């Protein structure tokens, strides 16, 4: 008796409410959208409701909210430097959104929204659009200095400028691919290792070594929790590093 | 919490010093904030990676930075071919450029680029002095 293993099945989108079709594409409220709304709800609960009291000595929930705020605030200040406070709402929202979605993905049977590249790419495009729009708004054409690093010999300049332009284009891609790939790969690995356990148990005498993949999947679960937090942190850090280019171009 | 519950009648009288304190705290915070960016003016992404979490984050960055460079080059090359009609050449040239970008990105993230840049700047200065 073979146990069917389908590690990709968990990433399927299931339409909950359909709004009809545009061309061949169904426009629907999927479970992915539902998770996103739930994430926004949880974040609102942590940040708005918990801090509503504004007590000087914070309660439990308020200190959680303050902890997140201070953490992101210091990260932003370190990576983007002076004048970066105006991006605090953006970075804080991004971090909390990605973190909560990643953590939702770790709940058994839950759906990992950030395992879809279109979601992460939309977030990355939001960051890069902010960088470009703010950069041109604040510095005008001086923003193009981002592509011209200082201290490069003249004959190398055309090459470096071309590389810098491709590098700029690669930024949203790297932001999106990193988050999506880590979450996707983690969930597939988890599913496969966990799938070994029933497969080995079903294979008669091989069942004796089934505790090995079980232990491994426990370890991978712990690793995935680490990755879930870390990727949210990396996303926020990189977004603030890119924003620092918009704040201080031409270093 | 218990301090707040003590009595509403005293609330106004007690609020004042608290407000004063928070104003002073805010003032101090502002002063610190103004002084803080002066020290690490622009920390390179790799420099602050002393604790475990951020060095692990750095390790995860390195691989995708390279892939993203090649991907970006490929996408730009393909778009160039599509819209400018330079059929094979845009993809060939920009893919190679993307490869170079990937290496450049990895070097920049790992922080090994800061020294050569400083060195080349120093060389430039020397050249200027010589000529």
């Amino acid at each position: 008796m073979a146990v069917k293993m389908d590690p990709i099945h968990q990433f399927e989108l299931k339409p909950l409410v359909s709004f009809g079709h545009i061309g061949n594409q169904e426009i629907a409220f999927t479970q992915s959208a539902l998770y996103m709304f739930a994430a926004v709800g949880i974040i609102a609960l942590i940040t708005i409701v918990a801090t509503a009291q504004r007590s000087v000595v914070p309660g439990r929930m308020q200190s959680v909210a303050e902890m997140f705020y201070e953490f992101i605030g210091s990260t932003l200040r370190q990576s983007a430097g002076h004048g970066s406070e105006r991006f605090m709402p953006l970075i804080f929202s991004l971090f909390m959104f990605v973190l909560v979605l990643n953590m939702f993905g770790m709940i058994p049977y839950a759906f990992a929204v950030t395992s879809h590249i279109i979601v992460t790419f939309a977030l990355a495009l939001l960051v890069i659009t902010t960088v470009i729009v703010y950069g041109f708004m604040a510095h005008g054409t001086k923003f193009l200095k981002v592509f011209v690093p200082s201290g490069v010999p003249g004959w190398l300049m055309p090459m470096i400028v071309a590389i810098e332009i491709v590098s700029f284009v690669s930024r949203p891609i790297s932001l999106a691919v990193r988050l999506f790939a880590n979450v996707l790969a983690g969930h597939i690995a988890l599913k496969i290792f966990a799938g070994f356990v029933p497969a080995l148990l079903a294979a008669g005498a091989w069942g004796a070594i089934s505790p090995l993949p079980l232990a491994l999947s426990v370890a991978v679960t712990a690793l995935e929790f680490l990755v879930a937090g870390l990727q949210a942190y990396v996303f926020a850090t990189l977004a603030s590093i890119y924003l620092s280019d918009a704040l201080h171009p031409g270093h | 919490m218990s301090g707040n519950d003590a009595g509403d009648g005293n609330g106004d009288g007690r609020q004042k010093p608290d407000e004063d304190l928070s104003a002073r705290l805010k003032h101090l915070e502002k002063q610190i904030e103004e002084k803080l960016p002066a020290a690490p003016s622009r920390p390179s992404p790799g420099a602050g990676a002393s604790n475990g979490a951020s060095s692990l984050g750095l390790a995860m960055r390195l691989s995708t930075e390279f892939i993203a460079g090649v991907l970006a080059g490929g996408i730009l090359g393909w778009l160039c071919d599509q819209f400018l009609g330079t059929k094979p050449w845009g993809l060939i040239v920009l893919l190679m450029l993307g490869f170079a970008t990937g290496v450049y990105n990895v070097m920049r993230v790992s922080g090994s680029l800061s020294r050569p840049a400083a060195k080349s700047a120093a060389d430039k200065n020397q050249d200027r002095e010589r000529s």
Side-chain angles (χ1 to χ4, degrees):
Chain A
M1 176 183 95
V3 181
K4 194 173 167 243
M5 286 217 307
D6 187 6
I8 305 297
H9 176 74
Q10 57 178 322
F11 302 117
E12 258 170 38
L13 285 174
K14 295 183 191 72
L16 300 177
V17 182
S18 188
F19 298 124
H21 290 71
I22 294 179
N24 282 328
Q25 186 59 47
E26 189 183 13
I27 305 298
F29 187 85
T30 59
Q31 95 272 41
S32 175
L34 183 67
Y35 276 97
M36 286 189 228
F37 271 107
V40 171
I42 293 267
I43 296 164
L45 196 73
I46 292 176
T47 50
I48 298 172
V49 178
T51 56
Q53 276 193 313
R54 299 211 181 123
S55 45
V56 178
V57 180
R60 215 171 279 149
M61 290 303 280
Q62 191 184 336
S63 60
V64 168
E66 283 177 6
M67 198 184 70
F68 277 127
Y69 185 88
E70 299 265 320
F71 176 64
I72 293 304
S74 68
T75 303
L76 180 63
R77 213 176 300 123
Q78 273 174 16
S79 353
H82 186 67
S84 60
E85 297 80 17
R86 72 189 70 205
F87 293 120
M88 182 65 191
L90 174 68
I91 299 294
F92 185 73
S93 318
L94 276 176
F95 174 78
M96 292 304 284
F97 192 59
V98 173
L99 180 72
V100 171
L101 285 181
N102 282 352
M103 285 303 173
F104 272 173
M106 290 312 296
I107 300 171
Y109 295 105
F111 174 75
V113 179
T114 41
S115 65
H116 282 245
I117 192 165
I118 191 66
V119 175
T120 59
F121 195 68
L123 293 176
L125 269 190
L126 173 70
V127 172
I128 268 342
T129 312
T130 311
V131 167
I132 293 172
V133 169
Y134 181 79
F136 277 116
M137 258 173 54
H139 303 282
T141 49
K142 273 189 195 161
F143 176 58
L144 294 175
K145 271 191 195 163
V146 168
F147 300 124
V148 188
S150 55
V152 175
W155 57 273
L156 210 58
M157 201 46 115
M159 182 80 182
I160 292 288
V161 168
I163 286 181
E164 285 283 348
I165 290 172
V166 179
S167 171
F168 192 83
V169 174
S170 81
R171 283 174 177 185
I173 300 174
S174 88
L175 260 185
V177 167
R178 177 179 309 111
L179 179 56
F180 130 87
N182 273 292
V183 176
L184 184 79
H187 279 76
I188 289 179
L190 202 53
K191 192 90 173 182
I192 287 177
F193 282 131
F196 281 153
V197 179
L200 282 171
L201 281 177
W206 286 107
I209 59 166
S210 65
L212 280 177
L214 182 65
L216 199 60
S217 59
V218 170
V220 170
T221 306
L223 182 72
E224 280 313 299
F225 270 109
L226 178 69
V227 166
L230 199 64
Q231 286 305 321
Y233 171 69
V234 168
F235 198 93
T237 312
L238 283 181
S240 38
I241 287 172
Y242 296 159
L243 283 171
S244 88
D245 272 347
L247 286 162
H248 328 280
H251 35 270
Chain B
M1 285 302 242
S2 60
N4 285 353
D5 296 341
D8 288 342
N10 275 354
D12 284 341
R14 293 160 54 111
Q15 207 76 356
K16 277 260 163 64
D18 272 357
E19 266 178 21
D20 188 20
L21 182 68
S22 77
R24 273 162 58 199
L25 267 177
K26 208 169 262 176
H27 183 65
L28 178 68
E29 222 163 40
K30 206 181 257 175
Q31 276 184 325
I32 290 173
E33 249 173 54
E34 275 169 8
K35 294 230 168 117
L36 203 66
S41 60
R42 186 189 153 77
S44 78
S50 52
N51 53 343
S54 55
S55 58
L56 198 58
L58 192 67
M60 288 185 169
R61 276 188 66 187
L62 286 174
S63 54
T64 39
E65 287 293 343
F66 181 72
I67 295 166
V70 179
L71 270 182
I75 290 171
L76 279 182
W78 185 79
L79 285 176
C80 184
D81 281 350
Q82 286 291 308
F83 292 108
L84 301 180
T86 51
K87 199 58 186 181
W89 295 108
L91 190 59
I92 293 173
V93 170
L94 275 161
L95 205 56
M96 284 165 73
L97 206 60
F99 187 82
T101 306
V103 176
Y104 183 72
N105 278 349
V106 168
M107 282 168 74
R108 182 157 53 187
V109 170
S110 64
S112 57
L113 206 64
S114 52
R115 248 177 296 140
K119 208 174 128 198
S120 70
D123 286 349
K124 213 173 169 187
N125 284 345
Q126 277 185 349
D127 286 350
R128 210 174 290 148
E129 278 165 23
R130 252 180 253 146
S131 58

